[in-house]
Structure formats: C-alpha cells, structure tokens
C-alpha cells in the first residue's frame, strides 16, 4: 500500500528504512542522513503489512522544480518495480503541485535506474555525504504558454 504524508507511524517506518539502507548498508554517518528537512518534508512510503518497502521525500528547489531525495528501497524488494512506481507517483504529485522538471542528486551506482526513468545527467560527478553522485534532471511537462 502506498502512503503519503507525515503521520507519526509513517515517519517511524520511513526512518527505520533509511537507517537500514543508508546508515547500516551504505555506512553513511547517521548525523549526515537525518537532517532538518526531516521536520517538514512530505514523504511517500510503500508499505506492506509491517514491512516498509520503499520511501522518498521531496521539496521544491524553485516553484517549478521538484527535488526528490532520500529515496531508497529495502534490499529484499529491489529490482521488483517498487522504486520505478514510487518515483512515478512522486513525479505525478509534483506535476499537480506545479512542477515542470525534477532535479535530483543520484548516486553513481543508481544512474542507470534514473536514466531508465527518463532522467539525464546534468553535472560532473561530486561527493555528497561521502558518496559519489551526479545531478540528474527530467522534464515533467511542458510549460503552458
């Protein structure tokens, strides 16, 4: 089941999943993973019973630019389409909120996934939270003239 918002139970599931993927699996320091945006940003959460499967949070970097981040899928559920569907739901939500493009920071290892979802590399590699990344952009819809 897909959930959206910031309810207490949902945030607990989101944070547990991010802890498992980013802190434990990828060894990102916990103080880098959890930040002030966690206090305000909305989340999508794919949840099956008591198991958090995938999550993503977002904000707008400009009034028309969706900025997804903290996107992860539980290890046992990767390569099953959950990530692609979750990103699509977020993009549709972004369009409803006025986004015409999406710009994200992608781990180098995830570039092929984002390219398959229609994103293009728009920067040289850089390090973010100790991980090699690139900026990727996707046009969501054409601006109305």
């Amino acid at each position: 089941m897909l959930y959206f918002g910031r309810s207490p139970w949902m945030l607990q599931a989101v944070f547990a999943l991010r802890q498992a993927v980013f802190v434990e699996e990828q060894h990102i320091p916990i103080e880098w993973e959890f930040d002030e945006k966690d206090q305000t940003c909305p989340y999508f959460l794919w949840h099956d019973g008591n198991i958090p499967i995938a999550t993503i949070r977002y904000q707008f970097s400009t009034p028309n630019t969706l900025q997804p981040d903290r996107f992860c899928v539980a290890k046992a559920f990767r390569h099953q389409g959950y990530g692609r569907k979750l990103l699509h739901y977020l993009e549709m939500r972004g369009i409803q909120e006025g986004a015409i493009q999406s710009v994200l920071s992608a781990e180098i290892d995830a570039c092929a996934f984002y390219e398959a979802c229609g994103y293009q590399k728009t920067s040289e590699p850089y390090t973010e939270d100790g991980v090699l990344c690139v900026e990727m952009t996707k046009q969501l819809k054409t601006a109305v003239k």
Side-chain angles (χ1 to χ4, degrees):
M1 172 124 343
L2 184 64
Y3 297 93
F4 174 77
R6 296 188 45 78
S7 67
W9 76 266
M10 188 178 157
L11 290 176
Q12 288 296 318
V14 164
F15 295 158
L17 182 55
R18 285 176 44 198
Q19 170 84 22
V21 172
F22 295 122
V23 178
E24 295 168 19
E25 187 180 328
Q26 295 184 357
H27 307 292
I28 293 173
I30 195 167
E31 63 272 15
W32 293 358
E33 174 54 29
F34 299 97
D35 59 23
E36 67 282 346
K37 292 178 186 175
D38 289 321
Q39 304 302 314
T40 58
C41 287
Y43 284 90
F44 277 95
L45 172 67
W46 204 296
H47 198 267
D48 182 19
N50 291 325
I51 303 170
I53 295 172
T55 188
I56 192 168
R57 77 175 184 191
Y58 74 97
Q59 58 272 333
F60 278 77
S61 58
T62 73
N64 300 111
T65 304
L66 180 68
Q67 185 181 6
D69 70 352
R70 301 304 200 260
F71 182 23
C72 63
V73 178
K75 194 171 192 173
F77 293 92
R78 292 181 192 152
H79 308 291
Q80 297 178 39
Y82 290 105
R84 182 183 298 268
K85 289 176 189 174
L86 187 59
L87 186 58
H88 175 75
Y89 287 126
L90 173 61
E91 291 166 354
M92 294 302 99
R93 175 85 182 202
I95 289 169
Q96 291 172 351
E97 294 181 21
I100 58 172
Q101 70 176 350
S102 178
V103 178
L104 53 81
S105 180
E107 295 177 10
I108 292 293
D109 293 344
C111 285
F113 166 78
Y114 288 113
E115 287 170 340
C117 293
Y119 285 77
Q120 296 178 329
K121 293 177 189 172
T122 52
S123 79
E124 294 297 317
Y126 57 90
T127 301
E128 182 177 298
D129 294 338
V131 178
L132 195 59
C133 298
V134 293
E135 181 181 273
M136 298 188 79
T137 302
K138 178 179 180 178
Q139 296 306 309
L140 298 178
K141 69 175 187 175
T142 306
V144 178
K145 295 181 180 182

